[in-house]
Amino acid sequence: MTAAIEAATLLFDVHWVDGRLRRTSRHGRVGTNAGVLEDYGDVAEGLLVLHQVTGDERWLAWAGDLLEVVRAHFAAPDGGFHDTADDAERLLRRPRDPADSPTPSGQAAVAGALLTYAALTGSRDHREASDRALEVLTPMLGLSASFAGWAGAVAEASLAGPAEVAVVDRPDLERLARLATAPGAVVVTSGPLTRGRGSAGVYVCRDFVCERPATTADAVREQLGVTLAPAPPWNV
């Protein structure tokens, strides 16, 4: 976790310049290359995970700022996104590639970040933006699924809810809640999802509407479908 916090801090301190991302740096000095769509999407997704693990809301806030830049400067009329910003270097054709390479496509990463941000904050606006982006991306699943794996994962998470899990004053149940395998599930101990919860427990929610809080390990397993594998014989 320490390394992840250090990496995020470096990106914020060095690569976040005048409210925009820069792609490169060396020895603490930032380069001039402007960030592209996959930079914004991947960094936002990483920050949202970091917020869930640390409980630090600054990472959630910065992810929101990154997504606002994406929506303001990368959006396409059909709900998808261009790979370069509207004020980037002029090219003969503004690039827009929905296919994954060794890393997720920028469009799929942004769709996933929008979905996760919505799950963490209850923002219908971000959820609808994710849905529109998925409408553009999902035809690739039928045409060339091997190049649309991340889009498929985001679509599966969208169909599953995703589950929103708030652990309130029950650190003893937090690890168990994090073992949930529901697609796209978010698990937090602080932030908007946890506010206003009247009693300690694990709250499993969708669209910020929650079931009764689980207060035992068995109840958490039942609500989240957590299945613990038996311990290997050499640990018995």
Side-chain angles (χ1 to χ4, degrees):
M1 185 189 303
T2 300
I5 294 171
E6 290 176 352
T9 302
L10 171 68
L11 288 174
F12 186 81
D13 290 345
V14 177
H15 288 251
W16 186 238
V17 180
D18 297 329
R20 303 290 284 272
L21 273 181
R22 299 278 183 86
R23 293 210 81 185
T24 58
S25 69
R26 185 177 183 185
H27 302 312
R29 297 183 61 182
V30 70
T32 59
N33 298 323
V36 296
L37 184 66
E38 67 177 7
D39 299 324
Y40 283 87
D42 290 337
V43 172
E45 288 205 300
L47 293 173
L48 294 172
V49 173
L50 192 57
H51 161 65
Q52 293 178 64
V53 173
T54 64
D56 191 333
E57 293 190 45
R58 63 177 164 157
W59 307 126
L60 176 65
W62 188 25
D65 292 341
L66 291 168
L67 292 174
E68 286 310 299
V69 173
V70 168
R71 298 178 68 190
H73 294 286
F74 291 81
D78 62 0
F81 298 95
H82 295 282
D83 291 332
T84 57
D86 55 4
D87 55 359
E89 177 186 358
R90 293 281 180 171
L91 303 172
L92 291 175
R93 181 176 177 274
R94 194 174 174 190
R96 188 180 180 193
D97 185 0
D100 293 342
S101 54
T103 58
S105 77
Q107 294 189 64
V110 166
L114 287 166
L115 181 65
T116 301
Y117 186 83
L120 290 167
T121 64
S123 170
R124 291 302 308 170
D125 189 37
H126 288 80
R127 176 58 188 254
E128 290 167 2
S130 177
D131 290 344
R132 290 193 298 271
L134 282 173
E135 288 178 4
V136 177
L137 287 168
T138 48
M140 276 198 65
L141 291 169
L143 297 172
S144 186
S146 60
F147 292 98
W150 203 254
V154 177
E156 184 181 21
S158 179
L159 290 172
E164 306 150 358
V165 184
V167 183
V168 178
D169 296 330
R170 288 299 303 266
D172 56 314
L173 296 178
E174 179 183 350
R175 181 180 178 277
L176 183 60
R178 294 192 185 281
L179 293 175
T181 57
V186 299
V187 181
V188 293
T189 58
S190 67
L193 187 60
T194 65
R195 294 183 187 130
R197 307 298 172 198
S199 57
V202 176
Y203 293 78
V204 179
C205 319
R206 283 174 177 76
D207 294 328
F208 272 52
V209 177
C210 305
E211 300 178 32
R212 292 173 62 87
T215 58
T216 67
D218 286 343
V220 172
R221 292 190 187 99
E222 181 179 352
Q223 289 193 19
L224 290 175
V226 175
T227 302
L228 297 180
W234 52 85
N235 286 337
V236 175

